[in-house]
């Protein structure tokens, strides 16, 4: 079902002049991003910069205040609900929390999109589901309930579900968080393999500089509502930007702040400031 | 003063907005019936969890309410030497009023709160977003089957409540207080009217079922997706449902028996 209607050169996701605010808190203040077809593109940035929000905007779950987002040449936010759903069938999304349905077991979770959107016979669904689960190393866990999985396992099941329909693009929200080094390596290879073998475009949101640099073709670093740097992992590792240097090396001091906006600590503790 | 007025206005607007959202959601839920018909299995599962699991509390309550009705009724009726009419009195109270109303209150407490909590938690754990991203409409897939399950379950539960209640009345009236067995049933049969009593009772329970399930689903779907938000929504479901049922009961009764 991985339809490739555009040519290889046109980006699969084209974001222009994106502005978005949660209430009065500005998350994106005019960003442009091109996600090339058939590559692994990473979106990186400190916690709370809006990486998850960006994926939700691309998936059409949130509306931008200004600017456009095109996926495969289609403006996501001008689609009717029906067309949006048709587009979403070609996008997989791995939620940060997994978002598995808790009242059905692992097998049924992965089978869910297949049952909803195809008329495949049961035997075929069984084969497909077990293959996807095998790919994430959890075939043996197919009859467990989501509550019986660890966080990392749940995320791998969610990954199997996200690729069940063989989408043209998969968005991974923090796939590496909570994984041990072995499954982290396996996941990274899996993402790379899906990409190389079946030309699935991957959009990867992550904090994990090392693992991400190893598999990404292109990295965007977002901070403070702007794209602060973009380029290949090699280009970024020699970037002269303070922000990028700080982020890539994990230094506490620099232009990127670890703290959410606040009054100076002393002021707040001594109670001389107004309540933030 | 102006501040208070502004606050009042804001609350009013917020309430009005919520009211609007609730109606929109209602339309979406009902429109979802087109995707429910090809999958009757969904309805069966939900009717089980919404209806069947409420059975025990409804039957036990029905039994005791019927027994109390017989006790109270007997003392009043015996003052006029009209104990033989005990059957009618018990059955009429049950079928017209207590069956639909008490069942609806129990339903809101047992099934409605569970529905709100379930949907609210699905929202809080991003399961609903997950469905959206899988191109599955959570309203059609999750809310619609639950809504119709509630709509179907309520009249059945209310009928059961009344039937068990009549039996409870029989045990107390005939078994304990010595009312004539034949008179109890034959008067009940003769005086309870099909249209006037039974159909009206069914209409009431249908309306209550619709309103209670709607409130429960809306509160869950509209809840703030946190533990606290879900717990507040659950409370609101029970309170709003109870108020709605009692007010609607008065309105419906006035319309049906008012003339
Ligand atoms: N529903 C919401 N209402 C208001 N503000 C929100 C909401 N969701 C997120 N935010 C704010 O938007 C900002 C971006 O959130 P987002 O979840 O996109 O961050 P993130 O980059 O994915 O962070 P992390 O790496 O920790 O997952 C956060 O600072 C958060 O405070
Ligand atoms: Mg996030």
């Amino acid at each position: 079902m991985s339809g490739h209607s555009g040519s290889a050169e046109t980006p699969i996701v084209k974001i222009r002049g994106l502005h978005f605010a949660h209430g009065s808190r500005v998350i994106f203040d005019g960003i442009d991003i091109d996600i090339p077809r058939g590559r692994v593109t990473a979106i990186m940035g400190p916690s709370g910069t809006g990486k998850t929000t960006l994926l939700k905007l691309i998936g059409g779950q949130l509306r931008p205040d200004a600017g456009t987002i095109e996926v495969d040449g289609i403006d996501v936010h001008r689609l009717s609900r029906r067309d949006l759903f048709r587009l979403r069938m070609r996008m997989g999304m791995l939620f940060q929390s997994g978002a598995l349905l808790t009242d059905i077991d692992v097998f049924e979770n992965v089978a869910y999109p297949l049952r909803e959107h195809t008329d495949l016979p049961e035997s075929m669904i069984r084969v497909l589901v077990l293959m996807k689960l095998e790919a994430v190393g959890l075939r043996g866990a197919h009859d467990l309930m989501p509550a019986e999985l660890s966080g990392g396992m749940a995320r791998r099941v969610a990954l199997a579900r996200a690729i069940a329909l063989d989408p043209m693009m998969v968005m991974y929200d923090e796939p590496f968080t909570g994984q041990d080094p072995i499954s982290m390596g396996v996941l990274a290879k899996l993402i790379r393999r899906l990409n190389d073998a079946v030309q699935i475009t991957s959009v990867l949101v992550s904090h994990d500089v090392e693992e991400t640099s190893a598999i990404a073709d292109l990295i965007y670093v977002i901070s403070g509502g702007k794209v602060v740097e973009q380029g290949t992992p090699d280009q970024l590792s020699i970037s002269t930007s303070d922000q990028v240097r700080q982020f890539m090396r994990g230094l506490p001091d620099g232009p990127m702040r670890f703290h959410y906006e606040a009054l100076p600590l002393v002021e707040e503790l001594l109670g001389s400031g107004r309540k933030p | 003063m102006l501040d208070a007025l502004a606050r009042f206005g804001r609350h009013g607007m917020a309430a009005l907005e919520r009211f609007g959202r609730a109606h929109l959601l209602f339309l979406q839920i009902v429109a979802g019936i087109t995707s429910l018909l090809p999958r009757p299995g969904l309805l069966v599962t939900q009717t089980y969890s919404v209806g069947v699991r409420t059975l025990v509390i409804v039957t036990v309550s029905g039994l005791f309410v019927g027994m109390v009705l017989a006790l109270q009724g007997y003392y009043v009726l015996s003052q006029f030497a009209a104990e033989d009419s005990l059957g009618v009195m018990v059955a009429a109270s049950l079928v017209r009023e207590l069956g639909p109303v008490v069942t609806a209150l129990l339903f809101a407490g047992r099934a409605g709160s569970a529905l709100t909590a379930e949907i609210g938690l699905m929202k809080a754990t991003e399961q609903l977003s997950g469905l959206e991203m899988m191109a599955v409409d959570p309203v059609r897939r999750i809310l619609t089957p639950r809504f119709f399950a509630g709509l179907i379950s309520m009249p059945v539960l209310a009928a059961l409540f009344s039937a068990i209640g009549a039996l409870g009345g029989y045990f107390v009236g005939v078994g304990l207080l010595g009312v004539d067995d034949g008179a109890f049933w034959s008067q009940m049969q003769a005086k309870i009217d099909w249209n006037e009593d039974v159909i009206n009772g069914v209409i009431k329970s249908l309306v209550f079922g619709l309103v209670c399930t709607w409130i429960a689903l809306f509160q869950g779907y509209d809840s703030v997706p946190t533990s606290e938000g879900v717990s507040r929504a659950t409370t609101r479901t029970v309170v709003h449902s109870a108020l709605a049922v009692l007010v609607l009961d008065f309105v419906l009764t006035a319309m049906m028996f008012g003339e």
Side-chain angles (χ1 to χ4, degrees), chain B residues 11 80 138 220:
Chain B
H11 280 302
F80 309 102

Side-chain angles (χ1 to χ4, degrees), chain A residues 51-52 96 173-174:
Chain A
K51 302 181 297 295
T52 300
Q96 206 164 353
D173 196 350
E174 312 275 5

